[in-house]
Amino acid sequence: MAVRTRRLTGTGLSEKAARRLTITVLLAPAILVILLLFMGGLVTGFLRSLGYFPLIGLNDFNFDAYSIIFTDNGFIRSFILTFHIAFTSTLIASILAVASAMLLRPAFRGKRFVQFIFSLNLTIPHLVGAVGVLYLFSGSGLVSRLATGAGLIDSPAGFPAMVNDPWAIGIIIQYVWKEIPFIGVIVLAILLSVGEDYESVARSLGANRWQAFRNVTLPLIMPGVVSASVIVFAFTFGAFEIPWLLGSTFPKALPVLAFESYTDVDLAARPQAMAMAMVIAVMSSLMILAYMKVSRRYVRS
Amino acid sequence: MTQVTLSGLTKIFDEKSPPAVDQLDLEIESGKLTALLGPSGCGKTTTMKMIAGLLRPTSGDISFDGDSILSIPPEDRGAVMVFQNYLLFPYMTIAENIGFGLKMRKVDRKEIRTRVTDMLDLVQLPGFEDRKPRQLSGGQQQRIALARALIVQPNVLLLDEPLSNLDAHLRDEMRELIRRIQTEMGITTVFVTHDQEEAVVLADRIALLFDGRLQQFDVPDAFFESPQSVEIAKFFGGTNFIPGHYEGGEITTSIGRFRAPRSAVDGGDAVLSIRPEAVTLGAAGGNSVMGRIRSHVYVGRYARFRVTLGDIEVEAVTDPGQVKMFNDGDEVPVTFDSNKIWVIGPAAAHE
């Protein structure tokens, strides 16, 4: 690397520019793949969403697909549902993750084992978790039968709908379960790097445990919590398989709705499917931008 | 004003290693400035954190004015600790940092603002309210950390290495500031340091700790004039040691017999200790032996000679004019001022 930089410097480039060029060249293969596959797909999708689909004779650009979906009550309800799923699950997961990380922070015997258990479900695929939620919380699931057995409800049919339900409880349970360790591991790392001294200062100055957490620890870890939850929010907003398995038939989560329109026998529904995909992409991008902004501010302070 | 008493205070972090603090007994006088001095890792900061309530002792007791405070949480002890690396809250302004303790006590906002201004005046940083900690120099951050502690009017002020992160000239300023505030407010103050000079200059009394054990608790000059062990004398540095046998106010060494009325031991194997300033060259008399000058350095305000006495070498610090009187290799009479000789017990075997 050093040798290469020096040789490039000989061509009249400044050392900084030379280093930048070297990095660009080294990254080129990865960037090319991303550009072709990801940006290519995105551009094609965007064109389709504007009604450009020469294969079936649509050659004009228009915003018809967007005006259809934005005036469609079903789409609006899907959007609200998807936002509810992403927001609620992220919020609950963040709170529980911070609480778990706080509990896991002090050194104790067997800590490594507990930490292992804590992060174990990071490796379990979402689908497996979804099946677990089905087995546990569906009308004929384990929890429902146990509740019946304990006499809490008369029959499994009396169990409140938690899977394929309009409030998306099953989906949220699955996301919360899966995302707690993801956010938790990040928060724990930040907690350990921040150390307990700031808290000690606060306690010494007269803050009780809760005040020290609320006024000192939380603001210190907040940028990390926000960064982690924004990633989770963007993911849960755009993920397909969990709402597809555990979601209700109406309204459907946006990714499910988009996929179903896309696979519709009526090819004319494709622009709408792509328009929905674009909405999801825009939401995710906004989240990523927010993430970058927050994390940059965090790095600066 | 609060008197702090440590009795049998012990902290064991890990059962396999020796205690960080071992059976510490200490009476910290009310309204005085006390130094906890010792090499790094000797348990000074651990002791301080136990007083502040940030660490739980393994055994022993801490009391303020005679009442045990072990069951009182840190926020209610009135013992405020200022950390070595200041630890100002980075996302708060200077005013918010200083006012933190009052905000936690739910003091009225207006009053907080006035008292913050007063504190900034006290630490000589008026007008710093709206700055952020990262805009301040180390010395300024240190003063803000001090102001943040003082605003809650603590009974006991605990300072962890208050001067170690500062440049030489800032150190003098800070030292004066601490001294001034401490005298004005009369707060019982304990500070931790590894620097014996800092302890000597600043403290009313010094508690010297090695390996978690109290070695000597005394006024600063006592550590120079009557250290209780060779290790203590070595820690304060610069002293000559000559092993010998002590009996009836005289110590017999391989180079001769010396009158030594001052002693930490009654008799038996002992060590003669004498500071270089108490060794004089050229004047024969009582307590004198002949020596040969090996080398000398002219320092300006004084001169330093190394002199061989038989198989022993001692250092003498003399008037600078003496460099003209003696040459290296000269035979000279060397005199130990008998009132400056201090006889200590032999160095501990385990050391």
Side-chain angles (χ1 to χ4, degrees), chain A residues 203-205 211 215-216, chain B residues 75 80-81 91 104-105 148:
Chain A
R203 292 296 301 277
S204 178
L205 289 169
Q211 285 177 317
N215 291 288
V216 173
Chain B
E75 64 268 26
V80 177
M81 179 162 167
Y91 48 88
M104 295 303 108
R105 288 168 176 76
R148 181 173 67 174

Side-chain angles (χ1 to χ4, degrees), chain A residues 109 194 196-221 300-301, chain B residues 49 52 54 73-75 79-81 83 85-92 97 100-106 134 148-149 152:
Chain A
R109 213 177 284 257
V194 166
E196 294 184 39
D197 282 352
Y198 280 109
E199 241 169 294
S200 295
V201 172
R203 292 296 301 277
S204 178
L205 289 169
N208 60 33
R209 254 174 223 285
W210 169 249
Q211 285 177 317
F213 172 75
R214 174 71 195 74
N215 291 288
V216 173
T217 313
L218 197 59
L220 282 170
I221 63 170
R300 223 181 294 133
S301 57
Chain B
K49 283 189 171 172
L54 303 171
E75 64 268 26
V80 177
M81 179 162 167
F83 282 64
N85 38 358
Y86 326 136
L87 297 173
L88 300 182
F89 304 124
Y91 48 88
M92 290 183 196
N97 261 286
F100 183 84
L102 297 182
K103 191 182 160 200
M104 295 303 108
R105 288 168 176 76
K106 309 213 157 45
R134 63 168 178 275
R148 181 173 67 174
V152 301

Side-chain angles (χ1 to χ4, degrees), chain A residues 60-76:
Chain A
D60 301 327
F61 292 96
N62 56 59
F63 288 100
D64 290 357
Y66 288 96
S67 56
I68 291 172
I69 62 168
F70 282 126
T71 49
D72 177 17
N73 189 34
F75 173 82
I76 304 288

